[in-house]
Amino acid sequence: MSVLRLSFLTVLLLFLGGPLLAVATLALGSLFDASAWRALAQDPLWARALALSLWTGLASTALAWWGAAALLAQGFVRQSLGRLLRGLPTMLATPHAAFAIGLAFLLAPSGWLLRALSPWLTGFEFPPSWPTTQDPWGLGLIVALAAKEIPFLLWTAATQLQRDDVRQRWRAEHTLAQTLGYSPQRAFWRVVWPQLSTRLLWPLLAVLAYGLTVVDMALIIGPAAPPTLAVLAWQWLQDADLATSAMGAAAGGVLTFSVLLSALGWHAFRSLAAHRARRGNGQRGVLPTFAQKNPQGDTRCVPPLPLGAWWLLGLYAAVLLALAVGSFAGVWPFPALWPEVITTEAWYSVWASGHTLATTLILGLASAALSLAWCVAWLELVPRRWDTALRPLLYLPLILPSVLWVVGLYGLALWLRLEGRWSGLLLAHTVMVLPYVLLSLSPAYIGFDPRYATLSASLGQGRWRFLLRVKWPLLRRALVASAAVGFSVSVAQYLPSLYVGAGRYATVTTEAVTLAAGAQRSLTSAYAGLQFALPVLVFGIAAWLGRPRRFSTVGAT
């Protein structure tokens, strides 16, 4: 390895690897406070809050995994993955908080669902006192999390299937299995799914960690008495009393151990299933619970692709429509299906706070650009064995609970004297965005055919000319899509903006989550709608920039 390359790698590690390691060290170091652990053990709420976190996190992860696997099976067998994935950018661009706000407006006792059924079916003239949102069982939170994570798992699977070598090999193996007498569905579960699911372990771990430790969605649509442990830890961390704040860090440690134990349990389950498959006592690989053999030996799966896809698209359309109508609603008595007064006051208020929009845009674009440049340099320069060894460090923001991670971010900002400064806020967002950009870009970048480089070198072209004229243009779609994902992740950041920004920088997400606790339906919907519109706009630009090149054929004259 040349000295220049080694120097550049050192700069890369210091630029973001150093802050990642420092944040992880500070976050985990906050756990070694015996008095905080004793105080946590004596608190009457933490055990119930932990049970709620485990229930909502594990149930939503299982539903998301089940739903994504079912849709992938139908799409792969029917060779309609292109149609299935066409609507993913819009669903991915919908921030978690905005989706939770729209779902809450849809399911609330005064929401559209009951309005559509009242009074002709329900007989209600006034909103009932039903716990349809913030229910004590966490069902609303489970639905919201599962609906948001299914598109993410589908998209990460699509990044694997975009590799020509992988797609062609799996398609050939799937066809070969059918020649051995397996039905198309069963061939997918026995041949393709075991290989694909192994490549989705990091995304699945990210979904599990997020579901167990989410704060913003739990504040909006999760249980409140008691809340989940992540919300309880967030409330304790905001307390001015140092002992209470330390108890919040200890609760974050409990969440960290919960994530690790859940991941180990999943690994043990997969190992047991693989062992049984080798002994011939079960299906090969990990089969979803809905794949059961019928008497003819075939596999009955979930409803056909159009039905499952339409249910998901319909839910997103209803949520977004609720946000759109709510942002223009004035007087809206129950059970009227449509507002009596249409007003634009909420959007005027949003427009008046232009600095909030500017902060969100600049933070999102800057953090996405920095993360993309870092990831490209990392994937281009770092040896594969280094990359494999250091991936767990780079993926720490996906695994550590957000409430614990923000403790490390805040400690690093204080140490570097960046609290309440723009540079500190940009660093916090970039650290959170980087693993998502790396996760989305890696399959396409690593799977790039090395023969292009050999051919370019044989023609006497230098490395930079090869990158600028061949490799990066061919990877343009993956590059702009990863940048769009990074932007959407930055827009959705709540806790880093709140803590590292020290309240001096308001973003669209912090305003939306704050307003969700009040009764201003129109203003909350407007901010949530803006939170959705920004990533959609960037995803649209990315789709336009990443469109395939079209060459015109000039006929002979």
Side-chain angles (χ1 to χ4, degrees), residues 104-125:
F105 287 163
L106 191 67
L107 300 179
S110 60
W112 249 4
L113 190 59
L114 272 180
R115 287 175 183 271
L117 302 176
S118 301
W120 64 274
L121 182 61
T122 64
F124 293 139
E125 296 290 342

Side-chain angles (χ1 to χ4, degrees), residues 13-240:
L13 287 172
L14 290 177
F15 178 65
L16 277 181
L20 278 170
L21 185 59
V23 169
T25 303
L26 289 169
L28 297 176
S30 63
L31 303 179
F32 298 98
D33 188 344
S35 60
W37 286 96
R38 286 194 296 269
L40 178 65
Q42 295 172 2
D43 186 85
L45 293 178
W46 84 273
R48 291 177 59 195
L50 175 60
L52 276 173
S53 293
L54 291 173
W55 159 240
T56 55
L58 295 175
S60 62
T61 302
L63 280 176
W65 185 250
W66 177 84
L71 291 174
L72 283 169
Q74 295 289 337
F76 189 90
V77 169
R78 299 187 178 193
Q79 299 188 15
S80 58
L81 281 175
R83 282 191 300 114
L84 172 64
L85 303 177
R86 199 169 297 159
L88 279 188
T90 301
M91 291 186 280
L92 281 173
T94 307
H96 289 76
F99 185 83
I101 291 171
L103 187 62
F105 287 163
L106 191 67
L107 300 179
S110 60
W112 249 4
L113 190 59
L114 272 180
R115 287 175 183 271
L117 302 176
S118 301
W120 64 274
L121 182 61
T122 64
F124 293 139
E125 296 290 342
F126 300 97
S129 56
W130 290 355
T132 53
T133 59
Q134 294 190 321
D135 60 283
W137 312 282
L139 300 180
L141 181 58
I142 291 173
V143 172
L145 284 170
K148 270 302 300 169
E149 301 306 345
I150 287 176
F152 174 70
L153 291 173
L154 288 175
W155 177 75
T156 51
T159 60
Q160 300 292 337
L161 294 171
Q162 283 176 354
R163 294 179 54 176
D164 290 336
D165 57 337
V166 173
R167 183 176 64 253
Q168 292 172 6
R169 187 181 79 247
W170 288 352
R171 182 67 66 184
E173 292 174 354
H174 183 258
T175 304
L176 179 61
Q178 293 179 68
T179 64
L180 298 177
Y182 293 106
S183 67
Q185 290 282 358
R186 193 173 181 189
F188 174 85
W189 295 120
R190 297 199 65 172
V191 176
V192 179
W193 178 246
Q195 300 178 72
L196 178 58
S197 62
T198 302
R199 296 169 180 249
L200 298 180
L201 290 182
W202 278 112
L204 178 63
L205 186 57
V207 169
L208 175 63
Y210 186 84
L212 289 172
T213 64
V214 63
V215 173
D216 50 358
M217 292 186 79
L219 284 171
I220 297 167
I221 202 171
T228 61
L229 188 58
V231 173
L232 202 59
W234 172 74
Q235 294 172 350
W236 287 337
L237 285 170
Q238 290 189 109
D239 200 289

Side-chain angles (χ1 to χ4, degrees), residues 454-466:
T454 304
L455 180 60
S456 177
S458 68
L459 296 175
Q461 305 299 318
R463 183 179 181 86
W464 277 107
R465 190 173 181 84
F466 164 70

